[in-house]
């Protein structure tokens, strides 16, 4: 498949949802072909997945992690930074998964299993698991067991989060079990350019599956200790980032976040540096500040998170730092740095401080290398700004804090999950501009619609589903915890 096909598929996935209501029907789309080959559907399913993970969800995560905030002189994302979302917000996330990615993936699985094309079956199963993981972590209660049955079931029931997570593990195990068959099938009839993630390398796909399984099991560490220990013994985690590459700086061919915000809106100044992250990076003299934010009038200057009411005369737009985005940024599904951070957290919970430090240092190093820096050891050494704590009670906080930084501009949606799961970075009571603010703590959004001390926990099940499916649950408040939230 030619490289330009990436962009045709991606942009079709990205924009068709807003142009065609029929894509909101998660069971049947009369404009969609009933059958297509796995060779054609694999690239489209990857593109569908990237189209929203790399745009809406990355943007939401970037705001809710307080990496970025809405420019005070514009208003595109005011409802997001103030947490005022409704069941009409971001419907495309739901639709891209159910009417796009999962529909393609189900077809791949059925055809490849029947024809023993195991090298297509394995990536498809893993991507199904990944899409359900994202859905379950943003919505919790979603259709799973009865989904994608077409006219046989137009009103699928919604499954609770624990049921969906058990299903995700099953999907991953089914993929992992077919490793040898997939490798043999790929030797005989190799997948090439149609795989935008690993170019047909089945061993790397299996490592992605095992790393994702480990991550999912860590949602309930106490209940999954044995399964986690088995994966540790296998020691077969990602060595290469699972990400969609190939974007270029041309209209309709760039990274979806960049395309949607910088190229398609009537202003390129919506997204600015949040004081929360900027203050932390500045205090630590972290060189990645230059990869995350642009200077304004020669300096880095942020905006208090969520403060949408500062006047343009009090804070002109040209005096604050814009978020650094690039047309060629890849869309990450699971990274090596993320995997190392998760392993560090596992060892911190055992606890095994030595192993936790080993993987913490590896993770920080990977996070620096992503942006071309080779001096991470200067930060993690004894006395360094990011030295691993000797106090066992501080280990997890240090790990998740570094993961929070590392997720900027790549996996902010995932860091949002970690904030809710672990409580780190902590939510303080002071604004960054107030005396007593603790650098590194999240701040209450200045114009939040939530109660004091509350953060968003989820997206609201969209109107496009609840209006047509009587099995949809009642609206769940955005601040309500999910089953795996510990904080």
């Amino acid at each position: 498949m030619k490289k330009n096909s990436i962009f045709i598929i991606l942009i079709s996935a990205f924009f068709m949802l807003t142009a065609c209501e029929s894509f909101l029907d998660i069971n049947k789309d009369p404009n969609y072909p009933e059958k297509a080959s796995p060779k054609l559907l694999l690239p489209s399913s990857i593109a569908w997945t990237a189209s929203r993970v790399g745009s809406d969800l990355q943007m939401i995560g970037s705001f809710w992690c307080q990496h970025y905030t809405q420019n005070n002189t514009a208003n595109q994302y005011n409802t997001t930074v103030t947490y005022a979302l409704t069941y009409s917000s971001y419907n495309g996330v739901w639709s891209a998964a159910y009417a796009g990615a999962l529909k393609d993936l189900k077809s791949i699985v059925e055809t490849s299993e029947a024809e023993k094309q195991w090298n297509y079956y394995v990536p498809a199963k893993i991507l199904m698991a990944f899409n359900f993981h994202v859905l379950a972590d943003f919505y919790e209660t979603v259709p799973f067991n009865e989904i994608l049955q077409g006219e046989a079931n137009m009103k699928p029931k919604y499954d609770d989060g624990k049921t969906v997570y058990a299903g995700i593990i099953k999907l991953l195990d089914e993929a992992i079990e077919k490793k040898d068959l997939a490798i043999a099938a790929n030797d005989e009839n190799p997948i090439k350019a149609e795989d935008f993630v690993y170019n047909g390398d089945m061993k790397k796909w299996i490592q992605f599956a095992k790393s994702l399984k480990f991550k999912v099991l860590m949602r309930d560490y106490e209940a999954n200790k044995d399964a986690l220990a088995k994966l540790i013994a296998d020691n077969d985690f990602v060595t290469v980032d699972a990400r969609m590459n190939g974007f270029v700086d041309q209209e309709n061919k760039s990274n979806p976040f960049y395309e949607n915000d910088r190229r398609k809106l009537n202003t390129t100044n919506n997204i600015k540096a949040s004081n929360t992250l900027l203050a932390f990076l500045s205090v630590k003299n972290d060189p990645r500040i230059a990869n995350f934010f642009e200077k304004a009038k020669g300096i880095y200057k942020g905006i208090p998170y969520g403060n949408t009411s500062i006047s343009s005369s009090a804070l002109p737009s040209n005096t604050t730092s814009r978020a650094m985005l690039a047309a060629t940024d890849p869309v990450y599904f699971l990274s090596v740095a993320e995997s190392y951070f998760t392993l560090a957290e596992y060892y911190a919970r055992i606890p095994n401080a030595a192993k936790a430090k080993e993987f913490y240092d590896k993770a920080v190093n990977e996070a620096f290398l992503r942006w071309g820096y080779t001096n991470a050891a200067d930060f993690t050494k004894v006395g360094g700004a990011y030295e691993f704590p000797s106090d066992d009670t501080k280990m997890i906080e240090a790990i998740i804090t570094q993961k929070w930084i590392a997720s900027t501009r790549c996996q902010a949606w995932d860091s949002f999950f970690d904030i809710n799961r672990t409580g780190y970075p902590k939510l303080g009571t002071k604004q960054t501009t107030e005396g007593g603010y603790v650098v590194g703590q999240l701040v209450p959004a200045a114009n939040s619609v939530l109660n004091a001390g509350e953060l968003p926990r989820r997206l609201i099940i969209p109107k496009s589903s609840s209006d047509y499916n009587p099995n949809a649950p009642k609206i769940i408040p955005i601040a309500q915890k999910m089953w795996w939230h510990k904080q």
Side-chain angles (χ1 to χ4, degrees):
M1 178 172 287
K2 295 180 180 179
K3 180 175 277 190
N4 279 347
S5 296
I6 296 176
F7 311 117
I8 294 169
I9 294 166
L10 179 64
I11 300 307
S12 295
F14 189 66
F15 292 107
M16 202 174 292
L17 290 170
T18 59
C20 181
E21 261 323 286
S22 63
F23 273 76
L24 299 182
D25 182 344
I26 62 177
N27 285 282
K28 184 180 181 181
D29 174 10
N31 299 316
Y32 196 87
E34 289 295 324
K35 289 293 181 181
S37 70
K39 186 179 181 70
L40 291 175
L41 290 179
L42 180 60
S44 73
S45 64
I46 295 170
W48 274 112
T49 303
S51 71
R52 293 297 167 173
V53 169
S55 58
D56 289 344
L57 297 183
Q58 177 61 16
M59 183 269 294
I60 292 167
S62 296
F63 285 134
W64 288 357
C65 289
Q66 301 188 14
H67 296 158
Y68 310 150
T69 193
Q70 168 66 51
N71 185 9
N72 61 298
T73 65
N75 58 22
Q76 178 71 24
Y77 305 116
N78 279 358
T79 58
T80 304
V81 298
T82 61
Y83 314 138
L85 300 189
T86 70
Y87 66 8
S88 296
S89 303
Y90 300 110
N91 278 213
V93 171
W94 185 274
S95 303
Y98 280 117
L102 288 167
K103 191 167 188 176
D104 284 353
L105 292 164
K106 181 175 184 287
S107 181
I108 295 171
V109 168
E110 290 175 347
T111 302
S112 60
E113 186 171 24
E115 298 179 0
K116 301 189 184 306
Q117 294 178 295
W118 303 113
N119 51 334
Y120 285 94
Y121 174 95
V122 163
K125 280 278 185 175
I126 295 166
L127 286 171
M128 286 185 80
F130 177 79
N131 274 274
F132 279 119
H133 148 61
V134 172
L135 287 167
D137 277 5
F138 271 107
Y139 297 100
E140 184 175 25
T141 302
V142 299
F144 181 79
N145 285 319
E146 294 184 2
I147 201 62
L148 303 173
Q149 296 178 8
E151 293 182 354
N153 187 354
M154 298 296 289
K155 298 173 182 178
K157 74 179 182 69
Y158 282 62
D159 295 291
D160 65 85
K162 285 191 175 183
T163 298
V164 178
Y165 261 72
I168 291 169
I169 297 299
K170 184 174 184 291
L171 289 170
L172 292 170
D173 284 342
E174 288 167 349
I176 293 166
E177 288 168 3
K178 293 293 191 293
K179 174 183 177 180
D180 293 339
L181 290 172
I183 292 171
N186 207 55
D187 288 342
E188 183 177 341
N189 186 21
I191 296 174
K192 295 181 181 178
E194 63 265 30
D195 176 1
F196 303 151
V197 180
Y198 285 132
N199 201 38
D201 190 324
M202 293 298 113
K203 291 180 181 179
K204 288 186 175 65
W205 274 104
I206 294 298
Q207 289 177 334
F208 177 19
K210 290 183 178 180
S211 299
L212 180 57
K213 180 179 178 180
F214 194 86
K215 172 184 177 180
V216 168
L217 291 170
M218 283 290 289
R219 290 286 188 268
D220 195 0
Y221 167 78
E222 291 294 335
N224 295 317
K225 287 181 179 179
D226 291 344
L228 288 163
K230 185 179 185 305
L231 285 167
I232 287 288
D234 290 346
N235 192 28
D236 191 27
F237 302 110
V238 288
T239 55
V240 176
D241 295 335
R243 66 186 196 181
M244 182 174 173
N245 303 291
F247 302 106
V248 296
D249 191 7
Q250 296 178 30
E251 187 173 4
N252 296 339
K253 298 182 180 182
S254 59
N255 170 281
F257 190 6
Y258 181 94
E259 186 74 24
N260 188 44
D261 181 79
R262 295 291 160 86
R263 208 188 298 277
K264 299 299 184 186
L265 297 181
N266 60 358
T267 175
T268 61
N269 283 303
N270 269 300
I271 304 176
K272 292 299 185 90
S274 167
N275 272 350
T276 309
L277 177 61
L278 188 66
F280 188 89
L281 296 172
S282 298
V283 166
K284 302 297 184 180
N285 292 316
D286 193 318
R288 292 172 294 179
I289 194 171
N291 302 95
F292 300 157
F293 307 117
E294 300 171 357
K295 287 184 177 179
K297 294 186 176 296
I299 63 171
Y300 294 108
K301 183 176 181 178
I303 297 175
Y305 178 75
N307 196 333
T308 58
S309 57
I310 306 175
S311 70
S312 59
S313 58
L315 192 63
S317 183
N318 64 353
T319 65
T320 55
S321 295
R322 192 172 68 153
M324 183 84 76
L325 303 175
T328 56
D329 282 348
V331 173
Y332 287 82
F333 300 151
L334 195 149
S335 68
V336 176
E338 176 194 349
S339 178
Y340 283 152
F341 279 124
T342 308
L343 289 165
E345 181 188 344
Y346 168 81
Y347 282 112
R349 291 188 184 280
I350 290 179
N352 183 330
K355 293 293 286 186
K357 172 178 166 47
E358 175 189 338
F359 282 100
Y360 169 89
D361 288 352
K362 285 183 176 182
V364 175
N365 186 61
E366 283 290 331
F368 270 64
L369 286 175
R370 175 182 289 145
W371 303 108
Y373 300 107
T374 58
N375 63 332
D378 293 338
F379 286 80
T380 56
K381 69 182 180 182
V382 174
Y386 298 147
E387 178 187 2
F388 194 65
S390 56
D391 182 348
D392 287 358
T393 65
K394 299 291 186 181
M395 290 191 296
I396 291 176
E397 181 175 8
I399 292 163
I400 302 300
T401 299
Q402 286 303 310
K403 197 175 179 184
W404 169 66
I405 301 168
S407 71
T408 309
R409 195 176 159 184
C410 61
Q411 289 178 279
W413 53 273
D414 190 61
S415 188
F416 162 67
F417 300 152
D418 284 328
I419 290 170
N420 282 324
R421 183 173 61 86
T422 67
Y424 301 121
K426 295 177 181 177
L427 174 62
T429 59
K430 301 284 188 178
Q431 298 294 325
T432 53
T433 52
E434 294 181 310
Y437 169 69
V438 178
V439 174
Q441 287 190 351
L442 302 181
V443 302
N447 298 108
S448 175
V449 301
L450 302 180
N451 295 326
E454 287 187 337
L455 288 173
R457 305 283 189 175
R458 62 178 69 233
L459 294 180
I460 298 171
I461 292 171
K463 178 179 175 63
S464 58
S465 181
S466 59
D467 275 3
Y468 299 104
N469 188 345
N471 292 316
K474 295 179 180 178
I475 291 178
I476 303 172
I478 196 173
Q480 183 170 312
K481 293 182 179 181
M482 299 187 186
W483 71 271
W484 48 269
H485 286 162
K486 308 301 181 186
Q487 299 296 322

